[in-house]
Amino acid sequence: NGPGLVGSLLVGVSFAKAFAYVRGIPLVGVNHHEGHLAAIYLDSGEPPYPHVALLVSGGDTSLYRVEAFGNYRLLGRTRDDAAGEAFDKVAKMLGLAYPGGALIERLAAEGDPEAVRFPRPHLKSGDLQFSFSGLKTAVANHLARLESPPEGEALRDVCASFQAAAIEVLVEKTARAAREVGTDCVLVAGGVAANRTLRGRMAARLEEVGARLVCPPLSLCTDNAAMIAAAGTRRLLRGERHGLDLGAHSRLSLDGSA
């Protein structure tokens, strides 16, 4: 029942309430972001607590300290664009199809990540906050300076350079969070967690700070029904129920903050 596009949420919540009422079965509202974090239960079981979770998707980029299922403390989040949103917007600038994250990753695999030195926003800020709008603007400015839209090798280089900048920030902030929390386990979930380059760089960097990476399988990273069922089942087994006044909320935090 949140967060997300309120029109889509209203359709889902309305159907769920009608279905629960007609069938006489429990109604349990699920936080979309908790669904992403719960996807790991369907593959690897329950990570040890406490652990750090990086939720990185088209709608959010946040770091949490996870004490237990349902117990989350926000460590840092994006101040503007989410990482996945930046990937999609840069893909649009480059004339690629939507959603663009997978296309950028595919092109980046054959490009030079050092061809264009894009900024690493907030990398040395000393905190766990993210910002991706400046990186997106840097790509736009670079493209504006070109005589024509990049193609071939030039296109692959822009994709690789942009991806390298975004991933470096995600990796370094997450490694910092792992050190601060003192955990040896980090969960990365959400649509951008399907990026194989991010997984590889993250695993290598976390190993350097004495932590290991766990991720849902690729098929459970992007939005899917199974992850919502995983979170809903946990809450159902804890005895949680919602009434027919359950609402849809475009903004719905995991930790109780605004």
Side-chain angles (χ1 to χ4, degrees), residues 18-231:
F19 191 77
Y21 177 77
V22 170
R23 302 292 296 176
I25 57 178
L27 176 68
V28 180
V30 172
N31 185 302
H32 176 185
H33 291 167
E34 186 171 58
H36 279 300
L37 300 184
I40 194 69
Y41 303 147
L42 300 172
D43 179 65
S44 306
E46 198 153 358
Y49 299 107
H51 62 262
V52 166
L54 171 66
L55 176 61
V56 56
S57 67
D60 191 32
T61 299
S62 298
L63 279 165
Y64 292 94
R65 176 188 172 109
V66 184
E67 300 288 352
F69 174 78
N71 187 346
Y72 314 101
R73 181 165 69 84
L74 181 67
L75 300 174
R77 63 160 44 114
T78 182
R79 297 176 180 272
D80 39 61
D81 290 355
E85 181 182 3
F87 268 85
D88 288 338
K89 288 181 176 178
V90 167
K92 184 176 181 180
M93 293 179 200
L94 295 171
L96 303 177
Y98 178 87
L103 295 173
I104 286 181
E105 180 187 7
R106 191 179 310 148
L107 291 166
E110 300 177 355
D112 179 2
E114 299 182 1
V116 186
R117 182 62 186 179
F118 289 127
R120 273 65 171 166
H122 278 266
L123 182 60
K124 299 181 179 180
S125 63
D127 58 30
L128 298 176
Q129 309 301 318
F130 298 96
S131 173
F132 293 99
S133 64
L135 174 57
K136 178 190 66 181
T137 300
V139 175
N141 290 339
H142 172 75
L143 297 177
R145 290 192 292 268
L146 301 178
E147 294 181 358
S148 59
E151 298 179 350
E153 182 180 356
L155 174 61
R156 293 190 290 271
D157 286 349
V158 171
C159 289
S161 299
F162 161 74
Q163 179 176 264
I167 286 178
E168 183 177 349
V169 173
L170 292 169
V171 167
E172 291 303 320
K173 295 280 187 174
T174 305
R176 179 187 179 93
R179 291 195 303 267
E180 291 186 2
V181 170
T183 182
D184 62 358
C185 181
V186 173
L187 166 65
V188 177
V192 182
N195 186 297
R196 291 178 174 83
T197 304
L198 171 61
R199 287 175 177 241
R201 301 275 172 81
M202 186 72 76
R205 184 69 179 98
L206 290 177
E207 185 176 357
E208 293 175 359
V209 300
R212 65 184 178 92
L213 172 68
V214 294
C215 295
L218 297 181
S219 61
L220 295 177
C221 287
T222 53
D223 291 350
N224 62 88
M227 72 182 195
I228 300 302

